[in-house]
Amino acid sequence: MKNNKIQTQLSNKTLSIVCVVANEKDSLKKFVNEVLEKCNIFKSVKLFLIFDDVDKDGTKHLAKMMSKKDKRVIFLECKRSKNVVETLLFGYSNALKSKADFILDINAGYRHLPSDLEKFFLAISPNYDCFFGGRFISGGSMSAPSIKRKIYSMGGTYLANFLLGTDLTDMTSGFQLYRRKVIKDLLSIKFFSKYHFINTEIKFYCKNFNILEIPISYETPASSVKFYVLLDSLFCLCRVFCKRFSKKN
């Protein structure tokens, strides 16, 4: 860590990491080792590897073996999960139970790079509650196999900001760090989305917290977004837009 003052500050803090995993057998061990190495400045670290029924290549078995060898790695299975959002929230709930000061949400498979973690940790200060990864902020980047994928993410950000009254450069990224109180608040919310729109919903509900965007590099293996995922995003965006003006919000 470059900043000794920040390192000293975080040495008294605890961190829990939520990582939803599926079909990452070839890269999981290397990824976990790199993440834990970057996080060793904290007093203690717990890395929750969260699985549902999607995994088909034996990653689940590998994760179990890793958890037996390293007490920082915790294998969890969300057996009754109906979708990725339920799996993610299951991870958040367990991370909250760990009573960590900070909770990190990161994707496996190197879509989110462990090398970017230092940027998050250097940015931690009492002034901010949420640290959201941004691909379109200065210093950020998005590597995609097609221009359509970038248009989807950038267009989704513009539309979400316009309809939801938010003001972030990236409303669809899922690489984020929270203070404990934020996760506690999020778990009290009934989310609409079943897929990737959850990241936009989270950012909307965090609008009353102090937010800082962190430049990240994002690697996406997909050239397009599945039609049912796009429909879910549009449908949920309309529902959150309506909720924006409801008395309950």
Side-chain angles (χ1 to χ4, degrees):
M1 186 62 64
K2 298 176 182 178
N3 191 312
N4 290 331
K5 183 178 180 180
I6 295 295
Q7 185 171 2
T8 301
Q9 175 187 341
L10 296 183
S11 65
N12 296 319
K13 302 296 182 180
T14 55
L15 174 71
S16 284
I17 306 166
V18 175
C19 187
V20 177
V21 186
N23 303 315
E24 309 289 354
K25 184 178 179 180
D26 294 337
S27 62
L28 183 64
K29 187 174 182 179
K30 182 174 183 290
F31 177 81
V32 166
N33 288 337
E34 290 183 15
V35 169
L36 290 174
E37 182 181 357
K38 291 293 183 180
C39 297
N40 63 12
I41 59 171
F42 287 86
K43 179 181 179 180
S44 67
V45 177
K46 291 183 179 180
L47 172 54
F48 293 91
L49 298 178
I50 317 296
F51 288 82
D52 51 26
D53 294 329
V54 176
D55 184 68
K56 304 297 181 183
D57 74 344
T59 309
K60 190 179 295 186
H61 175 72
L62 174 61
K64 287 181 181 178
M65 295 301 101
M66 293 172 63
S67 67
K68 292 179 180 179
K69 293 180 180 179
D70 191 332
K71 63 181 181 180
R72 296 172 297 176
V73 179
I74 301 170
F75 171 85
L76 288 176
E77 191 170 7
C78 189
K79 295 182 179 180
R80 290 185 287 273
S81 174
K82 297 178 181 178
N83 53 66
V84 68
V85 173
E86 286 192 6
T87 307
L88 177 65
L89 296 179
F90 174 75
Y92 279 6
S93 178
N94 279 275
L96 186 66
K97 291 176 184 177
S98 73
K99 299 185 178 181
D101 297 303
F102 293 93
I103 296 172
L104 172 70
D105 180 356
I106 184 172
N107 287 348
Y110 288 97
R111 287 178 289 278
H112 297 154
L113 304 181
S115 57
D116 281 333
L117 286 173
E118 186 171 301
K119 299 176 187 177
F120 282 85
F121 301 152
L122 285 171
I124 289 176
S125 80
N127 299 323
Y128 299 104
D129 305 308
C130 312
F131 306 85
F132 292 135
R135 298 162 293 181
F136 312 124
I137 193 174
S138 177
S141 66
M142 177 179 179
S143 174
S146 75
I147 190 64
K148 290 181 180 180
R149 190 66 176 80
K150 288 186 177 181
I151 291 175
Y152 171 80
S153 295
M154 296 180 73
T157 290
Y158 176 82
L159 186 61
N161 279 330
F162 177 73
L163 293 177
L164 304 183
T166 48
D167 187 26
L168 296 175
T169 68
D170 193 341
M171 284 291 288
T172 62
S173 170
F175 194 176
Q176 40 229 8
L177 177 70
Y178 311 93
R179 290 189 184 277
R180 172 183 173 79
K181 64 180 181 180
V182 179
I183 293 295
K184 186 176 181 179
D185 188 74
L186 290 176
L187 288 174
S188 68
I189 295 168
K190 182 176 176 59
F191 290 96
F192 297 124
S193 180
K194 297 178 181 179
Y195 303 104
H196 306 316
F197 187 76
I198 183 64
N199 297 315
T200 305
E201 279 197 85
I202 284 174
K203 290 177 171 66
F204 170 72
Y205 290 117
C206 285
K207 64 184 184 300
N208 294 324
F209 289 104
N210 295 317
I211 296 172
L212 180 66
E213 286 192 277
I214 308 296
I216 62 168
S217 297
Y218 181 78
E219 304 288 335
T220 174
S223 59
S224 62
V225 178
K226 294 180 180 179
F227 184 66
Y228 65 84
V229 174
L230 181 59
L231 281 181
D232 176 77
S233 296
L234 292 173
F235 178 68
C236 293
L237 179 59
C238 292
R239 296 188 72 178
V240 177
F241 171 71
C242 293
K243 190 170 183 179
R244 175 188 174 191
F245 298 102
S246 70
K247 293 181 180 180
K248 293 181 180 181
N249 185 47

